[in-house]
Amino acid sequence: MKIGILLGDDIGLEVVPECVKVMKAAASRSGLNIDWRPLPVGKRGHEEHGDTLPAVTEKALHDLNGWVCGPIGHATYPRNDPTWVMPPIRKKYELFAAIRPSLSHSNLKSIHKNVDIVFVRELTEGMLYSETVVGGAPEFRPNDDITIAMRVITRKGSNRVAREAFEIARTRARKKVTAAHKEPVYRLACGMFAEECRKVAREFPDVAFEESMIDTISMKLVMVPQQYDVVVTTNQFGDILTDIGAGLVGGLGLAPGLCVGERQAMAQATHGSAPDIAGRNVANPYAMIISGQMLLQWLGRKHGEPKAIAAADRIRTAVDRVIAEAKCLTSDLGGNAGTTQMGDAIAAAVLAA
């Protein structure tokens, strides 16, 4: 396996090394060989090469199976400078789906218990133009009183994100997919997405399938999230639903993520770069570590590599153990451990398993 290391900005410089530390421990314990490739991105990329996605990184990523990418601090980047942008990694490498689990833990404070949902969000279409457009922008203002925005939905994009959701559901105990949309209102756009979900559903007779209006599922997620297993939806709807999911189980510190394509995947936690706490060794590494775990699990499934799946299972077991013992948790989880201390505890639990 060839895996890149992109630290990102701010707390990325702290949580990504903990993720890699844990992944290396799990790989070693499982006999999985990984060729690690450190690559510059974000502020470091700009400082060294004059761009937040340097050509050296862009070229190298094409040859990797996947990479771990820390949060990017683009909110503080200079405006109106094309070299200071959110690196368009998802678009350039056709990472078409964001897989974002929301999992509650019995001994951690959360709005709901017994929550175990995987959100699958389409990434290459919709209205979020930084991720979906190569040139130009799908929104414009012809005069000071009018703004026009476009939303793009394709059969290809809808079909492949639905297929990813059903493949994930097939590996889970409940084997259920919920497609979230607003077809009665957006009859062509959401209608096309719903049509493709229904087509894919017929290919997975072992997986239960249902549809829900986006407003209905938003309400029910707050009230009874336990009824959902895998939820698949379009880009902007997914952007919102996944943050609801994170809020249900304790916040963005517990919100890992994996962006996947046909042959590559990027582990990237849902949270931002949190410059206000950067450099203080207090950031929660959970989301980044579980993102790395998800990358190993996905690579194992895609490549038929049992060692990668075994490594992923070791990380999951180790994280659950450290959380259950509650001796090395960061302050947001009710403990007093630092970032590195929590990472060390998880890596030690991996090696002890």
Side-chain angles (χ1 to χ4, degrees), residues 47-76:
E47 290 169 357
E48 295 181 358
H49 302 278
D51 202 297
T52 51
L53 183 61
V56 61
T57 299
E58 184 177 344
K59 180 180 179 181
L61 290 179
H62 282 288
D63 297 325
L64 303 182
N65 299 110
W67 51 90
V68 177
C69 185
I72 304 296
H74 64 100
T76 61

Short mmCIF file of all heavy atoms in Angstrom, two decimals, residues 47-76:
data_model
loop_
_atom_site.label_atom_id
_atom_site.label_comp_id
_atom_site.label_asym_id
_atom_site.label_seq_id
_atom_site.Cartn_x
_atom_site.Cartn_y
_atom_site.Cartn_z
N GLU A 47 4.21 27.98 1.43
CA GLU A 47 5.51 28.48 1.88
C GLU A 47 6.66 27.85 1.09
O GLU A 47 7.64 28.53 0.74
CB GLU A 47 5.69 28.17 3.37
CG GLU A 47 4.80 29.00 4.27
CD GLU A 47 4.80 28.49 5.71
OE1 GLU A 47 5.46 27.45 5.99
OE2 GLU A 47 4.15 29.12 6.55
N GLU A 48 6.53 26.57 0.76
CA GLU A 48 7.62 25.87 0.09
C GLU A 48 7.55 25.94 -1.42
O GLU A 48 8.59 25.89 -2.10
CB GLU A 48 7.62 24.39 0.53
CG GLU A 48 7.91 24.19 2.01
CD GLU A 48 7.91 22.73 2.41
OE1 GLU A 48 7.65 21.87 1.54
OE2 GLU A 48 8.15 22.44 3.60
N HIS A 49 6.32 26.03 -1.99
CA HIS A 49 6.17 25.93 -3.44
C HIS A 49 5.27 27.00 -4.06
O HIS A 49 5.04 26.98 -5.26
CB HIS A 49 5.62 24.56 -3.81
CG HIS A 49 6.48 23.41 -3.34
ND1 HIS A 49 7.60 22.99 -4.02
CD2 HIS A 49 6.37 22.62 -2.23
CE1 HIS A 49 8.15 21.97 -3.37
NE2 HIS A 49 7.43 21.73 -2.28
N GLY A 50 4.73 27.90 -3.24
CA GLY A 50 3.92 28.99 -3.77
C GLY A 50 2.50 28.64 -4.10
O GLY A 50 1.82 29.38 -4.81
N ASP A 51 2.00 27.50 -3.60
CA ASP A 51 0.62 27.10 -3.88
C ASP A 51 0.14 26.17 -2.77
O ASP A 51 0.94 25.39 -2.24
CB ASP A 51 0.52 26.38 -5.23
CG ASP A 51 -0.89 26.43 -5.81
OD1 ASP A 51 -1.79 25.86 -5.17
OD2 ASP A 51 -1.08 27.01 -6.88
N THR A 52 -1.16 26.25 -2.44
CA THR A 52 -1.68 25.38 -1.38
C THR A 52 -1.79 23.93 -1.83
O THR A 52 -1.87 23.02 -1.00
CB THR A 52 -3.05 25.88 -0.90
OG1 THR A 52 -3.90 26.08 -2.03
CG2 THR A 52 -2.90 27.20 -0.14
N LEU A 53 -1.84 23.70 -3.15
CA LEU A 53 -1.73 22.34 -3.70
C LEU A 53 -0.58 22.34 -4.70
O LEU A 53 -0.79 22.49 -5.91
CB LEU A 53 -3.03 21.89 -4.36
CG LEU A 53 -3.03 20.44 -4.89
CD1 LEU A 53 -2.80 19.44 -3.76
CD2 LEU A 53 -4.34 20.12 -5.62
N PRO A 54 0.66 22.20 -4.22
CA PRO A 54 1.82 22.28 -5.11
C PRO A 54 1.80 21.20 -6.19
O PRO A 54 1.23 20.11 -5.99
CB PRO A 54 3.00 22.07 -4.16
CG PRO A 54 2.47 22.35 -2.80
CD PRO A 54 1.03 21.96 -2.82
N ALA A 55 2.44 21.49 -7.30
CA ALA A 55 2.49 20.53 -8.41
C ALA A 55 3.13 19.22 -7.98
O ALA A 55 2.72 18.14 -8.43
CB ALA A 55 3.26 21.15 -9.58
N VAL A 56 4.12 19.28 -7.10
CA VAL A 56 4.79 18.06 -6.65
C VAL A 56 3.82 17.16 -5.89
O VAL A 56 3.85 15.92 -6.04
CB VAL A 56 6.02 18.40 -5.78
CG1 VAL A 56 5.62 19.16 -4.51
CG2 VAL A 56 6.80 17.15 -5.41
N THR A 57 2.93 17.77 -5.12
CA THR A 57 1.93 16.99 -4.39
C THR A 57 0.85 16.47 -5.32
O THR A 57 0.45 15.30 -5.26
CB THR A 57 1.29 17.85 -3.28
OG1 THR A 57 2.32 18.26 -2.36
CG2 THR A 57 0.21 17.08 -2.53
N GLU A 58 0.38 17.35 -6.20
CA GLU A 58 -0.66 16.96 -7.15
C GLU A 58 -0.23 15.77 -7.99
O GLU A 58 -1.00 14.83 -8.21
CB GLU A 58 -1.00 18.15 -8.05
CG GLU A 58 -2.15 17.88 -9.01
CD GLU A 58 -2.51 19.11 -9.84
OE1 GLU A 58 -2.09 20.22 -9.48
OE2 GLU A 58 -3.21 18.93 -10.85
N LYS A 59 1.00 15.78 -8.45
CA LYS A 59 1.52 14.67 -9.26
C LYS A 59 1.67 13.40 -8.44
O LYS A 59 1.29 12.31 -8.88
CB LYS A 59 2.86 15.06 -9.87
CG LYS A 59 3.47 13.98 -10.75
CD LYS A 59 4.81 14.42 -11.33
CE LYS A 59 5.43 13.32 -12.18
NZ LYS A 59 6.76 13.72 -12.73
N ALA A 60 2.19 13.53 -7.23
CA ALA A 60 2.46 12.36 -6.40
C ALA A 60 1.17 11.64 -5.99
O ALA A 60 1.14 10.41 -5.90
CB ALA A 60 3.25 12.77 -5.16
N LEU A 61 0.10 12.39 -5.76
CA LEU A 61 -1.14 11.78 -5.30
C LEU A 61 -1.72 10.80 -6.31
O LEU A 61 -2.38 9.83 -5.94
CB LEU A 61 -2.17 12.87 -4.99
CG LEU A 61 -1.90 13.74 -3.76
CD1 LEU A 61 -3.01 14.78 -3.58
CD2 LEU A 61 -1.77 12.91 -2.49
N HIS A 62 -1.47 11.03 -7.60
CA HIS A 62 -2.01 10.15 -8.64
C HIS A 62 -1.52 8.71 -8.48
O HIS A 62 -2.20 7.77 -8.89
CB HIS A 62 -1.63 10.67 -10.03
CG HIS A 62 -2.47 11.82 -10.49
ND1 HIS A 62 -3.78 11.68 -10.86
CD2 HIS A 62 -2.17 13.14 -10.62
CE1 HIS A 62 -4.27 12.86 -11.22
NE2 HIS A 62 -3.33 13.76 -11.08
N ASP A 63 -0.33 8.53 -7.88
CA ASP A 63 0.28 7.20 -7.79
C ASP A 63 0.00 6.49 -6.47
O ASP A 63 0.52 5.41 -6.24
CB ASP A 63 1.79 7.32 -8.00
CG ASP A 63 2.15 7.85 -9.38
OD1 ASP A 63 1.43 7.52 -10.34
OD2 ASP A 63 3.15 8.60 -9.49
N LEU A 64 -0.79 7.12 -5.60
CA LEU A 64 -1.03 6.55 -4.28
C LEU A 64 -2.35 5.78 -4.22
O LEU A 64 -3.27 6.06 -4.96
CB LEU A 64 -1.03 7.66 -3.22
CG LEU A 64 0.23 8.53 -3.13
CD1 LEU A 64 0.07 9.56 -2.01
CD2 LEU A 64 1.47 7.69 -2.91
N ASN A 65 -2.42 4.85 -3.28
CA ASN A 65 -3.68 4.16 -3.01
C ASN A 65 -4.62 5.05 -2.20
O ASN A 65 -5.84 4.96 -2.32
CB ASN A 65 -3.44 2.87 -2.24
CG ASN A 65 -2.58 1.88 -3.01
OD1 ASN A 65 -1.43 1.65 -2.64
ND2 ASN A 65 -3.11 1.32 -4.07
N GLY A 66 -4.04 5.89 -1.37
CA GLY A 66 -4.83 6.79 -0.55
C GLY A 66 -3.92 7.70 0.23
O GLY A 66 -2.69 7.61 0.16
N TRP A 67 -4.52 8.61 1.00
CA TRP A 67 -3.71 9.51 1.81
C TRP A 67 -4.50 10.00 3.01
O TRP A 67 -5.73 9.98 3.03
CB TRP A 67 -3.20 10.69 0.99
CG TRP A 67 -4.25 11.45 0.20
CD1 TRP A 67 -4.98 12.51 0.60
CD2 TRP A 67 -4.67 11.17 -1.15
NE1 TRP A 67 -5.83 12.92 -0.39
CE2 TRP A 67 -5.65 12.12 -1.49
CE3 TRP A 67 -4.29 10.21 -2.10
CZ2 TRP A 67 -6.28 12.14 -2.73
CZ3 TRP A 67 -4.93 10.24 -3.35
CH2 TRP A 67 -5.90 11.18 -3.65
N VAL A 68 -3.73 10.42 4.02
CA VAL A 68 -4.29 11.02 5.23
C VAL A 68 -4.07 12.52 5.10
O VAL A 68 -2.95 12.98 4.94
CB VAL A 68 -3.58 10.48 6.49
CG1 VAL A 68 -4.12 11.17 7.74
CG2 VAL A 68 -3.74 8.97 6.59
N CYS A 69 -5.15 13.30 5.17
CA CYS A 69 -5.06 14.74 4.99
C CYS A 69 -5.64 15.46 6.20
O CYS A 69 -6.79 15.23 6.57
CB CYS A 69 -5.79 15.17 3.72
SG CYS A 69 -5.63 16.94 3.32
N GLY A 70 -4.84 16.31 6.79
CA GLY A 70 -5.32 17.09 7.92
C GLY A 70 -6.24 18.22 7.48
O GLY A 70 -6.38 18.51 6.28
N PRO A 71 -6.89 18.89 8.42
CA PRO A 71 -7.80 20.00 8.09
C PRO A 71 -7.03 21.16 7.47
O PRO A 71 -5.88 21.41 7.81
CB PRO A 71 -8.40 20.38 9.44
CG PRO A 71 -7.38 19.93 10.45
CD PRO A 71 -6.78 18.67 9.88
N ILE A 72 -7.69 21.85 6.54
CA ILE A 72 -7.07 22.97 5.83
C ILE A 72 -7.66 24.29 6.38
O ILE A 72 -8.88 24.44 6.45
CB ILE A 72 -7.35 22.88 4.31
CG1 ILE A 72 -6.87 21.53 3.77
CG2 ILE A 72 -6.70 24.04 3.58
CD1 ILE A 72 -5.38 21.29 3.85
N GLY A 73 -6.79 25.23 6.74
CA GLY A 73 -7.24 26.48 7.34
C GLY A 73 -7.60 27.55 6.34
O GLY A 73 -7.21 28.72 6.49
N HIS A 74 -8.37 27.18 5.32
CA HIS A 74 -8.62 28.10 4.21
C HIS A 74 -9.45 29.32 4.61
O HIS A 74 -9.43 30.33 3.90
CB HIS A 74 -9.32 27.36 3.07
CG HIS A 74 -10.69 26.85 3.41
ND1 HIS A 74 -11.83 27.50 3.05
CD2 HIS A 74 -11.08 25.76 4.12
CE1 HIS A 74 -12.87 26.82 3.50
NE2 HIS A 74 -12.45 25.76 4.14
N ALA A 75 -10.15 29.25 5.73
CA ALA A 75 -10.96 30.40 6.14
C ALA A 75 -10.10 31.63 6.41
O ALA A 75 -10.57 32.76 6.31
CB ALA A 75 -11.78 30.05 7.38
N THR A 76 -8.83 31.41 6.75
CA THR A 76 -7.93 32.54 7.04
C THR A 76 -6.98 32.85 5.89
O THR A 76 -6.13 33.72 6.02
CB THR A 76 -7.10 32.24 8.31
OG1 THR A 76 -6.30 31.07 8.09
CG2 THR A 76 -8.01 32.00 9.51
#
